[in-house]
Amino acid sequence: MSSHGDPIPMTSSKSGPLAGIAHVPGDKSISHRSLILGALSVGETRVTGLLEGQDVLDTGRAMQAFGADVINHGGGEWSVHGVGVGGFAEPEQVIDCGNSGTGVRLIMGAMATSPIVATFTGDASLNGRPMGRITDPLALFGTQAYGRQGGQLPMTLIGAAEPVPVRYTVPMPSAQVKSAVLLAGLNAPGQTVVIEKEATRDHTERMLTGFGAEVSVEQTDAGRVITLTGQPELKPQSIVVPRDPSSAAFPVCAALIVEGSDVLIPNIGLNPTRAGLFTTLREMGADLTYENEREEGGEPVADLRAKFSPDMKGIDVPPARAASMIDEYPILSVVASFAQGKTYMAGVKELRVKESDRIDAMAVGLRANGVEVDETEDSWTVHGLGPNGVAGGGTCATHLDHRIAMSFMCLGMAATSPVKIDDGGAIATSFPIFESLMTELGAAIRRDNR
Ligand code: S3P
């Protein structure tokens, strides 16, 4: 089952060359945060280039349920009339966050220190994911949570009526946990401190500062220490959402493996906490260049040019880079299948608790297409077969996971025989124009008649 309807089986066949300009949608992480922080500020926040994927639309609906006014003006232009920090109303209905871990976890943080009750649910993927990592730190503020066994959704949160500020060291590399604690800290008096041992994406810190909150970041021996002064009045902003490097990863990687390709992907955010995949690909010998490098809205941005790269070599991806490319390992494993030699990816056990167990989902699907993969709990190795070496011919289960679905579609574009997926429905959560964009570049992908 796709997240919001019947399964959509798809087939991807040997394609190419891929050529042209690929305008990918807005950044998913920044889109969620624009709506949530817009809802927590007083007045009208304007957002340009919002990702209109299902995950973000679900967050927009949730913000409305908490009392904000979220208006779609068309063409990626949105506005949010916020209710201010501590101003959330109690929702009348259950909040359905669909497929989105980012949505539900950030929203739980945002409501956790207001004296209201809310019940959260999602699709089968989201309802199987761990929420204890959020409710444990929220309990320190005084928030109560009642979920299913194992700390899973559906779950009811009772917000703290008299929240206390918190000092919390995030036990796993997770921007969602860090962000949930910071958003909860907004309505607690005094200073909330979050310590992360490894840097994860820093959009929440950057955006909170942009909305006028007092946030300081210090690098210490214990890690990154983020200090937020509670109960600010957030001021509405005009936000231009940069294009998503995690979505750009698909046309970039497809171009690298499809013979003769040359694709330009303009205006991609290259925040160092997000750009680890591109560094890795260049280390493998990919013909990937940054053109027109510049700064926009405080974020580094460039146009990416990716060309067919038949001479890529497998590498050991440094575990310290994992957080900066955590969503890109599935598509990296596809590129690694077309490189010479082994690609070893370690320090990645977080991949097991994403929209699916991404190590397992990719390993099973790659093996079904003739690629050898070894795995341990927190590492995996892909044995590359070179530019023409992947047989294909397999059918892959996508487990309601958009990135698994798009990765196998890219595999099929360069494999000898077509690759099938059981359901591409989840692609709409983050990259609703994936099929049309890739087809225009020259990809042979289609929905199957059932
Ligand atoms: C995200 C954080 C990451 C990432 C997800 C988006 C965010 O999750 O995988 O797609 O926007 O904060 P974790 O916090 O679980 O690492």
Side-chain angles (χ1 to χ4, degrees), residues 20 39 41 103 130 153 156 190 198 202 245 339 367 411 435 442:
S41 61
L153 302 180
T156 296
E198 300 164 46
D202 60 358
R367 287 179 198 131
L411 184 81
E435 281 171 82

Side-chain angles (χ1 to χ4, degrees), residues 24-97:
V24 302
D27 190 280
K28 181 154 73 71
S29 294
I30 295 176
S31 293
H32 280 295
R33 287 160 173 79
S34 303
L35 296 178
I36 295 170
L37 286 180
L40 289 170
S41 61
V42 181
E44 185 190 1
T45 285
R46 300 286 299 200
V47 188
T48 303
L50 188 85
L51 165 64
E52 293 172 352
Q54 193 57 49
D55 278 9
V56 176
L57 298 178
D58 287 337
T59 288
R61 241 189 306 278
M63 290 303 96
Q64 263 180 301
F66 282 102
D69 223 358
V70 180
I71 300 162
N72 180 2
H73 300 281
E77 288 275 339
W78 290 67
S79 59
V80 185
H81 295 262
V83 292
V85 168
F88 271 4
E90 187 165 278
E92 288 171 11
Q93 303 289 342
V94 171
I95 303 295
D96 187 348
C97 289

Side-chain angles (χ1 to χ4, degrees), residues 6 55 66 74-75 93 130 136 151 162 179 188 246 268 312 358 407 416:
D6 292 335
D55 278 9
F66 282 102
Q93 303 289 342
D136 287 352
E162 290 180 24
S179 302
S246 299
I268 301 305
M312 289 186 288
R358 285 182 169 162
S407 296
T416 305

Side-chain angles (χ1 to χ4, degrees), residues 246-402:
S246 299
S247 295
F250 295 101
V252 164
C253 290
L256 300 180
I257 60 175
V258 172
E259 195 168 346
S261 298
D262 181 353
V263 175
L264 183 72
I265 306 105
N267 298 323
I268 301 305
L270 289 178
N271 178 317
T273 63
R274 296 288 299 282
L277 172 74
F278 305 128
T279 307
T280 301
L281 293 171
R282 279 148 60 123
E283 283 178 6
M284 292 171 78
D287 187 347
L288 171 64
T289 48
Y290 297 168
E291 299 182 355
N292 196 11
E293 286 183 66
R294 57 205 183 271
E295 280 243 330
E296 274 175 22
E299 297 266 358
V301 169
D303 305 336
L304 305 184
R305 174 158 235 130
K307 295 187 187 168
F308 176 52
S309 302
D311 298 322
M312 289 186 288
K313 308 260 181 304
I315 62 163
D316 287 3
V317 182
R321 198 181 288 158
S324 70
M325 53 179 289
I326 194 65
D327 291 336
E328 282 66 75
Y329 283 94
I331 188 61
L332 175 65
S333 72
V334 169
V335 173
S337 304
F338 293 93
Q340 300 284 356
K342 291 184 215 171
T343 295
Y344 175 61
M345 299 163 278
V348 290
K349 73 167 180 284
E350 277 294 301
L351 290 179
R352 297 208 178 269
V353 291
K354 295 294 180 188
E355 285 83 331
S356 67
D357 175 340
R358 285 182 169 162
I359 297 178
D360 198 58
M362 288 308 301
V364 170
L366 287 172
R367 287 179 198 131
N369 287 284
V371 183
E372 194 185 330
V373 182
D374 309 319
E375 57 182 296
T376 70
E377 185 54 26
D378 83 334
S379 74
W380 48 322
T381 303
V382 174
H383 298 255
L385 295 163
N388 293 308
V390 177
T395 298
C396 308
T398 57
H399 305 282
L400 292 179
D401 188 329
H402 52 133

